[in-house]
Amino acid sequence: MSAPMLQVKNLRVGWRRDDQVLYAVDDVSFDINVGETLGLVGESGCGKSTTGLALMRLTPRANDTQLEGQVLFEGRNVLSMRDQELRSLRGRDISMVLQDPMTSLNPVFNIGDQIAEGIRQHSASNGTDMRGRVIDALRRVRIPDAESRARAYPHQLSGGMKQRVVGAVAIASQPKLLIADEPTTSLDVTIQAQYLNLLKELQRESNMAMLFVTHDFGVVARMCNRVCVMYAGQIVETALVRDLFKRAAHWYTAALIGGIPKLGRNSERLASIQGSPPRPEEMPTGCRFAPRCPNVQARCREQSPPVVKIDHAHEVRCWFPRTA
Amino acid sequence: MSTATPLLEARAVSRHFSVTIAQGWKRNQRSVQAVDAVDIALHPGETLGLVGESGCGKTTLSRLLLGLEAPTGGAVYFRGRDLATASRDELREFRRSVQPVFQNPYSSLDPRMKVGSIVGEPLRVGGASRQEAAAKVAQALERVGLTASDTTRYPHEFSGGQRQRVAIARALACSPQLIVLDEAVSSQDISIRAQILNLLKDLQAELGLAYLFVAHDLATVRYMSQRVAVMYLGRIVELASSDALYDHPEHPYTRALLSACLPDDPDAPVPTDMLSGELPSPLAPPTGCHFHTRCPIAVDACKAAAPELRVIGSSQLVRCIKVPETSHSNV
């Protein structure tokens, strides 16, 4: 097998607060292969969005931000790139779609200009050629009547259409990896289904890889090949999608999946986890999930668990994993 | 269905908003029919789910039922009394018995009030003495899994899930019969959402509460509700028992909504009958059946006249002329 397109090794993202460093992302490692869709799933504050930003080095560039570890894109470390290399990486090699299309688009430029801006970064195009490429990008995201829509302003489009435009900006330069951070959270169910289908079709057309950052296990089930589950800044389980749903090895994953109401008939009560996730300044020693874990043992409270491989492509960070 | 007087009932209730649209120099007055002649009844102890996409009118309908919005047509009846002509005392009783919990506990709790005052406010409005109120506040907080000592804390000291518990305690404090939950768990994380849903079910079993559960997530609505109403552009298009609606959806819009839902199993097949297009503007809803522009089975007659709600099978109400009188739910 060829080397993965993207390798993340022991990534840590932290902020200096007083005399200590608080890590929002702590020792995260994963790979993404060509054409694959990897899910990064977890609850708010678990560090999944920060991880996505760090892959393109878009975390805030202040003196108090700490970035450690390696993000290797086709063998080159993104974290040690110079600005010029970063500019050619962003938008061309790796692109991003964010949650809220209202804030991703600039209200005072028409959408054609905003798509062209991205293309201009990576190639020299003259006016007519550029117009063709903009319209082509709009057509690829299935926007009807692309010629006239290119002159529309964001406020003239619906939420679903705006999110398609954000998609058009992201794929205009044919990236190899698309990071999608909760791209459908603000959309209605029927529009969400259309948008997810569109992303799948775009992926099939260009064989691009995707990293899907989401809190929604339904999105994971529909879109991903493999998944990483994050809790309190760490990846606690990595598995093929089917294994995750059928044979979750981490107690957190199992409780999360059991806590989602099903569309079919439900049992009387949902599984629930007591308490709430820890804050970065008060991380428990030992396993970070120990205070909420239904199967906690003395050792869990004292020592951090190692990442153990329980099967091909199935890893879990737990002293006493579940056996299905 | 019970023949007793419903706890709360809307009969042909409508709410139209007038909006001004600028077209160049011209200002045009237009009317948005946010809720259009809706009939709905809530019985003691039951949970009625209300689903639909954004802009379908579900929040306006819940505000009408809370008395926060006055209807422009039809009327809302509390225990058979029209709210528009009810006396002061009857209105006071209505407001005590029907309580809201809103979506966002960051904006629905006053940041400058302590939790004790927030939860106690509806009691003091109702004329309870200080001691009486304090006892009921403590009881309500304990019911939702907080403690009496939390009364001296401010909302910012609580997490999102705990704040929503405070909002539920406020609703519970004056012993209501119905709680209107408008997207009350939508902004919560999975693990917190499961806690709140379980809590709501426990409270219902313990206190015999009725809920109007307004949400856009169909799976959560099924878990919570005995009956479910589906809204599309201001009208109820289908109303049935939860099992009938989810197992045998009759209206083409309900079917489309259900097939657009994401799977809870990665092996689930990707549905092929995906709804195309978007919700039409409520400013200019399509003629006849509002859904005909996106409907896979629409015929010419659908554009001409708005269909009535008809009974299909035993008790499923469906607003569609194409659904035969006897359908699968007849078994």
Short mmCIF file of all heavy atoms in Angstrom, two decimals, chain B residues 38-78:
data_model
loop_
_atom_site.label_atom_id
_atom_site.label_comp_id
_atom_site.label_asym_id
_atom_site.label_seq_id
_atom_site.Cartn_x
_atom_site.Cartn_y
_atom_site.Cartn_z
N VAL B 38 -54.89 26.29 11.27
CA VAL B 38 -54.44 25.03 11.87
C VAL B 38 -55.40 24.59 12.98
O VAL B 38 -55.80 25.40 13.81
CB VAL B 38 -53.01 25.19 12.43
CG1 VAL B 38 -52.65 24.06 13.37
CG2 VAL B 38 -52.01 25.26 11.29
N ASP B 39 -55.78 23.32 12.94
CA ASP B 39 -56.55 22.71 14.02
C ASP B 39 -55.63 21.74 14.74
O ASP B 39 -55.04 20.86 14.10
CB ASP B 39 -57.73 21.89 13.45
CG ASP B 39 -58.79 22.78 12.86
OD1 ASP B 39 -59.37 23.57 13.60
OD2 ASP B 39 -59.00 22.69 11.63
N ILE B 40 -55.54 21.89 16.04
CA ILE B 40 -54.69 20.98 16.79
C ILE B 40 -55.17 20.94 18.23
O ILE B 40 -55.66 21.95 18.74
CB ILE B 40 -53.20 21.43 16.66
CG1 ILE B 40 -52.27 20.26 16.86
CG2 ILE B 40 -52.86 22.54 17.62
CD1 ILE B 40 -50.87 20.56 16.40
N ALA B 41 -55.08 19.77 18.85
CA ALA B 41 -55.56 19.66 20.24
C ALA B 41 -54.54 18.89 21.07
O ALA B 41 -53.92 17.93 20.59
CB ALA B 41 -56.89 18.93 20.28
N LEU B 42 -54.36 19.34 22.30
CA LEU B 42 -53.44 18.66 23.22
C LEU B 42 -54.23 18.15 24.41
O LEU B 42 -54.99 18.90 25.03
CB LEU B 42 -52.40 19.65 23.72
CG LEU B 42 -51.20 19.75 22.81
CD1 LEU B 42 -50.78 21.17 22.63
CD2 LEU B 42 -50.07 18.91 23.37
N HIS B 43 -54.05 16.87 24.72
CA HIS B 43 -54.79 16.26 25.82
C HIS B 43 -53.88 16.10 27.03
O HIS B 43 -52.66 16.01 26.87
CB HIS B 43 -55.35 14.90 25.37
CG HIS B 43 -56.29 15.04 24.22
ND1 HIS B 43 -57.60 15.39 24.38
CD2 HIS B 43 -56.08 14.95 22.89
CE1 HIS B 43 -58.19 15.48 23.19
NE2 HIS B 43 -57.28 15.22 22.27
N PRO B 44 -54.46 16.04 28.23
CA PRO B 44 -53.63 15.93 29.43
C PRO B 44 -52.71 14.71 29.37
O PRO B 44 -53.13 13.63 28.94
CB PRO B 44 -54.65 15.77 30.56
CG PRO B 44 -55.91 16.34 30.03
CD PRO B 44 -55.89 16.10 28.57
N GLY B 45 -51.46 14.87 29.75
CA GLY B 45 -50.53 13.76 29.87
C GLY B 45 -49.91 13.25 28.59
O GLY B 45 -49.07 12.36 28.62
N GLU B 46 -50.30 13.80 27.44
CA GLU B 46 -49.73 13.28 26.20
C GLU B 46 -48.60 14.17 25.67
O GLU B 46 -48.48 15.33 26.07
CB GLU B 46 -50.81 13.14 25.11
CG GLU B 46 -51.18 14.47 24.47
CD GLU B 46 -51.89 14.32 23.11
OE1 GLU B 46 -51.88 13.22 22.53
OE2 GLU B 46 -52.45 15.32 22.66
N THR B 47 -47.78 13.61 24.79
CA THR B 47 -46.79 14.41 24.09
C THR B 47 -47.15 14.47 22.62
O THR B 47 -47.31 13.44 21.97
CB THR B 47 -45.37 13.82 24.23
OG1 THR B 47 -45.07 13.68 25.60
CG2 THR B 47 -44.35 14.72 23.57
N LEU B 48 -47.33 15.69 22.13
CA LEU B 48 -47.59 15.89 20.71
C LEU B 48 -46.32 16.47 20.10
O LEU B 48 -45.81 17.49 20.56
CB LEU B 48 -48.77 16.85 20.53
CG LEU B 48 -49.09 17.25 19.09
CD1 LEU B 48 -49.58 16.06 18.28
CD2 LEU B 48 -50.14 18.35 19.06
N GLY B 49 -45.80 15.80 19.08
CA GLY B 49 -44.61 16.29 18.39
C GLY B 49 -45.02 17.20 17.24
O GLY B 49 -46.07 16.99 16.62
N LEU B 50 -44.21 18.21 16.95
CA LEU B 50 -44.49 19.11 15.84
C LEU B 50 -43.20 19.26 15.06
O LEU B 50 -42.20 19.74 15.59
CB LEU B 50 -44.96 20.46 16.41
CG LEU B 50 -45.46 21.53 15.46
CD1 LEU B 50 -46.63 21.03 14.63
CD2 LEU B 50 -45.86 22.77 16.25
N VAL B 51 -43.20 18.78 13.80
CA VAL B 51 -41.97 18.82 13.02
C VAL B 51 -42.18 19.59 11.72
O VAL B 51 -43.29 19.72 11.22
CB VAL B 51 -41.43 17.42 12.66
CG1 VAL B 51 -40.94 16.69 13.87
CG2 VAL B 51 -42.45 16.61 11.90
N GLY B 52 -41.09 20.02 11.15
CA GLY B 52 -41.11 20.72 9.87
C GLY B 52 -39.79 21.45 9.69
O GLY B 52 -39.01 21.57 10.63
N GLU B 53 -39.54 21.90 8.46
CA GLU B 53 -38.28 22.59 8.19
C GLU B 53 -38.36 24.03 8.65
O GLU B 53 -39.44 24.54 8.96
CB GLU B 53 -37.98 22.52 6.69
CG GLU B 53 -37.76 21.10 6.23
CD GLU B 53 -37.50 21.02 4.74
OE1 GLU B 53 -38.45 21.05 3.95
OE2 GLU B 53 -36.33 20.97 4.37
N SER B 54 -37.22 24.73 8.65
CA SER B 54 -37.26 26.11 9.14
C SER B 54 -38.18 26.95 8.26
O SER B 54 -38.21 26.80 7.04
CB SER B 54 -35.86 26.72 9.21
OG SER B 54 -35.07 26.31 8.15
N GLY B 55 -38.95 27.82 8.89
CA GLY B 55 -39.88 28.66 8.15
C GLY B 55 -41.23 28.02 7.91
O GLY B 55 -42.08 28.60 7.24
N CYS B 56 -41.48 26.82 8.46
CA CYS B 56 -42.76 26.17 8.20
C CYS B 56 -43.85 26.67 9.13
O CYS B 56 -45.02 26.35 8.95
CB CYS B 56 -42.63 24.65 8.30
SG CYS B 56 -42.46 24.08 9.99
N GLY B 57 -43.49 27.43 10.16
CA GLY B 57 -44.50 27.99 11.05
C GLY B 57 -44.62 27.27 12.38
O GLY B 57 -45.50 27.58 13.17
N LYS B 58 -43.73 26.31 12.67
CA LYS B 58 -43.89 25.56 13.90
C LYS B 58 -43.65 26.42 15.14
O LYS B 58 -44.36 26.28 16.13
CB LYS B 58 -43.04 24.28 13.92
CG LYS B 58 -41.56 24.45 13.68
CD LYS B 58 -40.89 23.10 13.47
CE LYS B 58 -39.37 23.16 13.53
NZ LYS B 58 -38.76 24.03 12.51
N THR B 59 -42.70 27.34 15.08
CA THR B 59 -42.47 28.21 16.24
C THR B 59 -43.62 29.19 16.42
O THR B 59 -44.08 29.43 17.54
CB THR B 59 -41.13 28.95 16.09
OG1 THR B 59 -40.09 27.98 16.21
CG2 THR B 59 -40.94 29.99 17.18
N THR B 60 -44.14 29.75 15.31
CA THR B 60 -45.29 30.66 15.43
C THR B 60 -46.49 29.93 16.03
O THR B 60 -47.18 30.47 16.89
CB THR B 60 -45.65 31.25 14.05
OG1 THR B 60 -44.49 31.86 13.49
CG2 THR B 60 -46.75 32.29 14.17
N LEU B 61 -46.72 28.70 15.59
CA LEU B 61 -47.83 27.94 16.16
C LEU B 61 -47.63 27.72 17.66
O LEU B 61 -48.57 27.86 18.45
CB LEU B 61 -47.99 26.60 15.43
CG LEU B 61 -49.11 25.70 15.94
CD1 LEU B 61 -50.46 26.39 15.88
CD2 LEU B 61 -49.17 24.39 15.15
N SER B 62 -46.39 27.41 18.06
CA SER B 62 -46.18 27.18 19.49
C SER B 62 -46.36 28.47 20.27
O SER B 62 -46.85 28.46 21.39
CB SER B 62 -44.83 26.51 19.75
OG SER B 62 -43.79 27.42 19.54
N ARG B 63 -46.01 29.61 19.68
CA ARG B 63 -46.22 30.90 20.36
C ARG B 63 -47.71 31.25 20.46
O ARG B 63 -48.14 31.85 21.43
CB ARG B 63 -45.45 32.02 19.65
CG ARG B 63 -43.93 31.88 19.84
CD ARG B 63 -43.17 32.92 19.04
NE ARG B 63 -43.51 34.28 19.48
CZ ARG B 63 -42.94 34.90 20.50
NH1 ARG B 63 -42.00 34.30 21.19
NH2 ARG B 63 -43.29 36.13 20.82
N LEU B 64 -48.47 30.86 19.44
CA LEU B 64 -49.92 31.06 19.50
C LEU B 64 -50.51 30.25 20.64
O LEU B 64 -51.36 30.72 21.39
CB LEU B 64 -50.57 30.64 18.18
CG LEU B 64 -50.40 31.58 16.99
CD1 LEU B 64 -50.74 30.86 15.69
CD2 LEU B 64 -51.28 32.81 17.15
N LEU B 65 -50.03 29.01 20.77
CA LEU B 65 -50.57 28.14 21.81
C LEU B 65 -50.14 28.59 23.21
O LEU B 65 -50.82 28.31 24.19
CB LEU B 65 -50.13 26.69 21.58
CG LEU B 65 -50.77 26.03 20.34
CD1 LEU B 65 -50.11 24.69 20.05
CD2 LEU B 65 -52.26 25.83 20.54
N LEU B 66 -49.03 29.30 23.29
CA LEU B 66 -48.58 29.83 24.58
C LEU B 66 -49.27 31.15 24.91
O LEU B 66 -49.06 31.72 25.98
CB LEU B 66 -47.07 30.09 24.53
CG LEU B 66 -46.14 28.90 24.76
CD1 LEU B 66 -44.73 29.25 24.31
CD2 LEU B 66 -46.14 28.51 26.23
N GLY B 67 -50.02 31.69 23.94
CA GLY B 67 -50.64 32.98 24.16
C GLY B 67 -49.68 34.14 24.00
O GLY B 67 -49.96 35.26 24.40
N LEU B 68 -48.49 33.88 23.43
CA LEU B 68 -47.51 34.95 23.24
C LEU B 68 -47.76 35.72 21.96
O LEU B 68 -47.16 36.75 21.69
CB LEU B 68 -46.09 34.36 23.18
CG LEU B 68 -45.59 33.71 24.45
CD1 LEU B 68 -44.24 33.05 24.24
CD2 LEU B 68 -45.49 34.76 25.55
N GLU B 69 -48.65 35.18 21.14
CA GLU B 69 -48.95 35.77 19.85
C GLU B 69 -50.46 35.71 19.74
O GLU B 69 -51.06 34.70 20.11
CB GLU B 69 -48.30 34.89 18.77
CG GLU B 69 -48.05 35.51 17.45
CD GLU B 69 -46.76 36.32 17.45
OE1 GLU B 69 -45.66 35.73 17.50
OE2 GLU B 69 -46.89 37.54 17.38
N ALA B 70 -51.10 36.81 19.28
CA ALA B 70 -52.55 36.78 19.14
C ALA B 70 -52.89 36.30 17.73
O ALA B 70 -52.26 36.74 16.77
CB ALA B 70 -53.13 38.17 19.37
N PRO B 71 -53.83 35.37 17.59
CA PRO B 71 -54.17 34.89 16.26
C PRO B 71 -54.83 35.97 15.41
O PRO B 71 -55.53 36.84 15.95
CB PRO B 71 -55.14 33.73 16.52
CG PRO B 71 -55.57 33.85 17.93
CD PRO B 71 -54.59 34.71 18.65
N THR B 72 -54.58 35.94 14.09
CA THR B 72 -55.28 36.84 13.19
C THR B 72 -56.54 36.18 12.65
O THR B 72 -57.34 36.80 11.97
CB THR B 72 -54.38 37.28 12.02
OG1 THR B 72 -53.77 36.12 11.46
CG2 THR B 72 -53.31 38.24 12.49
N GLY B 73 -56.70 34.89 12.92
CA GLY B 73 -57.92 34.18 12.53
C GLY B 73 -58.08 32.99 13.44
O GLY B 73 -57.08 32.48 13.96
N GLY B 74 -59.30 32.52 13.65
CA GLY B 74 -59.51 31.36 14.51
C GLY B 74 -59.26 31.71 15.96
O GLY B 74 -59.13 32.88 16.32
N ALA B 75 -59.15 30.70 16.81
CA ALA B 75 -58.98 30.97 18.23
C ALA B 75 -58.28 29.81 18.93
O ALA B 75 -58.25 28.69 18.42
CB ALA B 75 -60.33 31.20 18.89
N VAL B 76 -57.69 30.11 20.09
CA VAL B 76 -57.04 29.11 20.93
C VAL B 76 -57.90 28.94 22.18
O VAL B 76 -58.31 29.93 22.79
CB VAL B 76 -55.61 29.55 21.31
CG1 VAL B 76 -54.97 28.54 22.24
CG2 VAL B 76 -54.76 29.73 20.06
N TYR B 77 -58.22 27.71 22.53
CA TYR B 77 -59.08 27.42 23.67
C TYR B 77 -58.30 26.68 24.73
O TYR B 77 -57.64 25.68 24.46
CB TYR B 77 -60.27 26.55 23.24
CG TYR B 77 -61.15 27.22 22.22
CD1 TYR B 77 -60.83 27.15 20.87
CD2 TYR B 77 -62.30 27.90 22.61
CE1 TYR B 77 -61.62 27.78 19.92
CE2 TYR B 77 -63.10 28.53 21.67
CZ TYR B 77 -62.76 28.46 20.33
OH TYR B 77 -63.55 29.09 19.41
N PHE B 78 -58.38 27.20 25.98
CA PHE B 78 -57.79 26.51 27.12
C PHE B 78 -58.92 25.92 27.94
O PHE B 78 -59.78 26.67 28.43
CB PHE B 78 -56.96 27.50 27.95
CG PHE B 78 -56.43 26.92 29.23
CD1 PHE B 78 -55.51 25.87 29.20
CD2 PHE B 78 -56.83 27.41 30.46
CE1 PHE B 78 -55.02 25.34 30.36
CE2 PHE B 78 -56.35 26.87 31.63
CZ PHE B 78 -55.44 25.83 31.59
#
